[in-house]
Amino acid sequence: MTPRFPAHPFRRVLLPALLLTACGGAPESEVAPAEELVGTRESAMCSGLSVTSLTLDGISTYEGELAGAGTYAVSTFANAVSLEFYVDGQTPSTTERLGSSGTWSYSRTGVACGPRNFEVRAYPMVVASDGTKTICRESYKSVTRIVTEPCPPTASISCTKLSTGVLRCTGSATGGSGSYMPQWQGYWDSYFYQEEYLFPWQQGSWISSSSCSPTTSTTFYDVVQMHFKVTDSNGLTSNTVSSPAYKCYPVH
């Protein structure tokens, strides 16, 4: 029977061995590099193996946590799967599942709001009885999905203490979705009366005014401060911003 040799790259390794054998040298099996044989065995083990099914049944983000799940199935002679998860193409996290079919799940915290590109890749695996694992990276299946968590609005505040004895603050917001609902909260601290009070949040207009008569006293005064935030049409609340703490003549 005429022997059949592997493809050309491996044939070049065996030719010197054939010459040595003809001259009484070592058999060809003793001169082939071990790494070539390992690679050949892995390629042979992975031949014809594939991921036959990969699904992404659900994926979402909430308050910075992205979570998803799905199913997989591999072809005959594969008995496990290796999974890689990418968010916006960043360095993936990996996991493995035993069995020719089954389910997978994934979660990650600290995901920024806005549109994120999620990808799951599945590679067929062979797990031997001694626990040795072979991942067949030549054949894989992937599923991608764009998942979005709305970003909350961003609030800002600007205040002026008028000579008429009025503290006037104007709020503004950007980002978010739809219209905004402005909300104000006042803070009052009397150094003279040794009392302080944080008023409840109240919905209002974009401008809020408070009494603040000028004073130059270093011991006889009140401290007045305004806090501001907005809620958008999605129900997302912005950051809370605060005015400077203004010294005002005490309220009697």
Side-chain angles (χ1 to χ4, degrees), residues 75-92:
S75 59
T76 305
F77 304 120
N79 58 4
V81 70
S82 176
L83 297 156
E84 293 180 344
F85 304 98
Y86 297 82
V87 178
D88 291 339
Q90 296 176 355
T91 302

Side-chain angles (χ1 to χ4, degrees), residues 199-210:
F199 294 87
W201 283 99
Q202 293 190 2
Q203 297 178 357
S205 65
W206 292 98
I207 298 177
S208 179
S209 298
S210 177

Side-chain angles (χ1 to χ4, degrees), residues 19-37:
L19 294 175
L20 287 171
T21 302
C23 299
E28 60 189 54
S29 61
E30 295 179 3
V31 298
E35 47 276 283
E36 289 283 354
L37 294 177

Side-chain angles (χ1 to χ4, degrees), residues 147-167:
V147 58
T148 300
E149 179 178 7
C151 292
T154 300
S156 58
I157 190 174
S158 175
C159 299
T160 302
K161 189 165 67 169
L162 305 178
S163 59
T164 56
V166 173
L167 174 63

Side-chain angles (χ1 to χ4, degrees), residues 99-117:
S100 58
S101 63
T103 61
W104 60 266
S105 61
Y106 172 79
S107 66
R108 174 181 169 180
T109 58
V111 177
C113 63
R116 306 268 73 85
N117 184 70

